[in-house]
Amino acid sequence: MAAPKVAVVGAGVIGLSTALCIMEAYPSCSVTVLSDQFSPNTTSDVAAGMLIPHTYPGTPVHMQKQWFKETFACLSAISNSTKVSEAGVHLVSGWQVFKSTPKEELPFWSDVVLGFRPMSKAELQKFPQHLFGQAFTTLKCDCPPYLLWLEKRLKAAGIQMYTRKVADLWELHSEYDIVVNCTGIGAHQLVGDKKLFPVRGQVLKVHAPWVKNFIRDGDGLTYIYPGIHRVTLGGTREKESWSLSPDPDTTKDIFDRCCSLEPSLQEAQDIEVKVGLRPSRQCVRLQREILSQGGLKLLVVHNYGHGAGGFSVHWGTAKEAAHLVGECIAALQGSSSRAEI
């Protein structure tokens, strides 16, 4: 049979990394990325890009850890290369602080990040409202540069990218052999996934170059994440809110909360407000599906529903999605060879 044609729908961090993993695993494939939005207008552009996993209750922990390990290894290699500035990937050290001792002694990812340890009493003195803390070094993606870097790698590999609104996966049937659905919150409408819901996140991007360490409140709501050029201050987790309009009261609340953790942020300049809708569900949807209609079949691979943890596991889930595409290719080749007999 001819080289399989694969369409990846969605151009956030999940879509772009999945397209790249497919191309690397199956270089004979023809891969195309279709999306109604590309950087800088994706949900991924709003994200902080910190590699601190969020737990998916419906996904086995060993699987979540594998995704995180693979992502951490991939981005570590970038951070140790000459690509740091262009890719926007760098190491950052800091603290996660708690007002009470957390129930779990160690998070499942503690041996993947670097130098994970309890904070000393001297370190905790910086946070008088908190009783316990953890110090470690992890990785951060500056999201727009990272997305543009992924796009550049895709173009170099010969992958086509088109701005196109896909309203129904079936409209791709005549053009592509396999469709990979990486549409994030768009899957709510595109495939009618009622288990998928938005969790609205509002963040501030500020100029505060003296802030070098990340600080994250253990509740996950308040965080300060320094990037190469800007510091991300957050945040909110508003379930089932579809609003993309910044809220001024929320902006003030985020700024006040972050200043209580890092008082020097009072001097921050050039405050930008960003809003994104995290595509959330109990577990990432990472599976094959065969759609049938009027005797026709369409091979689909789904990879969406990463919620607030997309950057932490994007490369691991992209590799798994590429493996599922490989299974689809094998099925196509099997049916093709049977048809030729």
Side-chain angles (χ1 to χ4, degrees):
M1 64 173 284
K5 293 182 178 179
V6 181
V8 176
V9 186
V13 70
I14 303 301
L16 297 179
S17 55
T18 298
L20 201 51
C21 282
I22 294 167
M23 197 73 237
E24 289 178 352
Y26 309 102
S28 63
C29 272
S30 167
V31 181
T32 303
V33 176
L34 306 172
S35 184
D36 59 338
Q37 299 285 357
F38 285 84
S39 185
N41 300 313
T42 73
T43 300
S44 296
D45 284 281
V46 179
M50 281 288 286
L51 267 67
I52 299 177
H54 293 251
T55 304
Y56 304 106
T59 302
V61 171
H62 72 87
M63 196 177 292
Q64 298 182 53
K65 184 168 184 178
Q66 183 64 26
W67 294 341
F68 182 56
K69 281 178 73 172
E70 289 176 347
T71 305
F72 200 91
C74 171
L75 295 184
S76 287
I78 298 169
S79 76
N80 287 332
S81 73
T82 58
K83 305 292 185 186
V84 171
S85 180
E86 184 186 6
V89 177
H90 56 103
L91 289 166
V92 59
S93 300
W95 307 283
Q96 179 165 252
V97 291
F98 300 84
K99 291 188 170 118
S100 59
T101 306
K103 290 174 186 173
E104 56 174 357
E105 289 192 15
L106 290 173
F108 71 83
W109 43 266
S110 61
D111 60 345
V112 180
V113 297
L114 308 179
F116 189 96
R117 60 176 175 79
M119 285 168 65
S120 68
K121 285 185 179 179
E123 286 173 305
L124 275 169
Q125 285 176 1
K126 180 175 169 60
F127 308 101
Q129 296 178 333
H130 295 76
L131 300 175
F132 176 79
Q134 298 156 338
F136 55 94
T137 298
T138 188
L139 289 148
K140 183 184 183 306
C141 298
D142 279 23
C143 301
Y146 183 65
L147 296 173
L148 291 174
W149 185 70
L150 288 176
E151 284 187 21
K152 181 180 174 182
R153 289 179 66 189
L154 290 170
K155 288 171 183 170
I159 292 175
Q160 300 293 314
M161 286 182 269
Y162 298 111
T163 302
R164 175 173 170 179
K165 171 74 172 174
V166 177
D168 186 334
L169 294 180
W170 274 106
E171 72 187 59
L172 304 175
H173 178 268
S174 61
E175 300 169 72
Y176 300 97
D177 302 301
I178 302 163
V179 176
V180 186
N181 172 22
C182 300
T183 54
I185 199 63
H188 188 273
Q189 186 170 4
L190 181 63
V191 296
D193 188 342
K194 302 299 184 227
K195 296 178 181 177
L196 183 71
F197 57 93
V199 175
R200 181 183 181 276
Q202 182 166 317
V203 298
L204 316 182
K205 307 275 184 173
V206 307
H207 183 69
W210 59 87
V211 176
K212 304 296 186 189
N213 297 96
F214 75 81
I215 305 168
R216 181 178 190 269
D217 195 295
D219 64 11
L221 271 182
T222 305
Y223 48 83
I224 299 161
Y225 295 150
I228 295 173
H229 302 294
R230 311 277 281 166
V231 181
T232 301
L233 310 182
T236 65
R237 283 188 190 166
E238 300 162 66
K239 286 187 177 180
E240 302 288 355
S241 172
W242 289 88
S243 172
L244 285 167
S245 301
D247 178 74
D249 291 338
T250 301
T251 296
K252 183 180 184 307
D253 178 56
I254 291 170
F255 191 71
D256 290 347
R257 281 188 276 128
C258 289
C259 286
S260 72
L261 284 176
E262 180 53 70
S264 71
L265 284 168
Q266 295 281 3
E267 301 299 315
Q269 302 289 317
D270 190 20
I271 298 171
E272 279 184 279
V273 186
K274 301 280 188 181
V275 177
L277 304 180
R278 305 177 182 102
S280 303
R281 63 202 308 279
Q282 283 290 99
C283 59
V284 176
R285 188 178 185 194
L286 195 47
Q287 64 181 155
R288 286 172 59 195
E289 184 179 22
I290 301 174
L291 300 181
S292 301
Q293 190 178 90
L296 299 172
K297 291 191 183 334
L298 179 63
L299 298 177
V300 176
V301 171
H302 298 285
N303 183 16
Y304 67 84
H306 297 69
F311 272 86
S312 293
V313 296
H314 73 275
W315 199 256
T317 59
K319 285 179 73 173
E320 190 168 329
H323 177 74
L324 295 176
V325 168
E327 293 179 2
C328 292
I329 293 169
L332 282 172
Q333 290 171 338
S335 61
S336 174
S337 59
R338 282 195 298 273
E340 288 163 8
I341 293 171

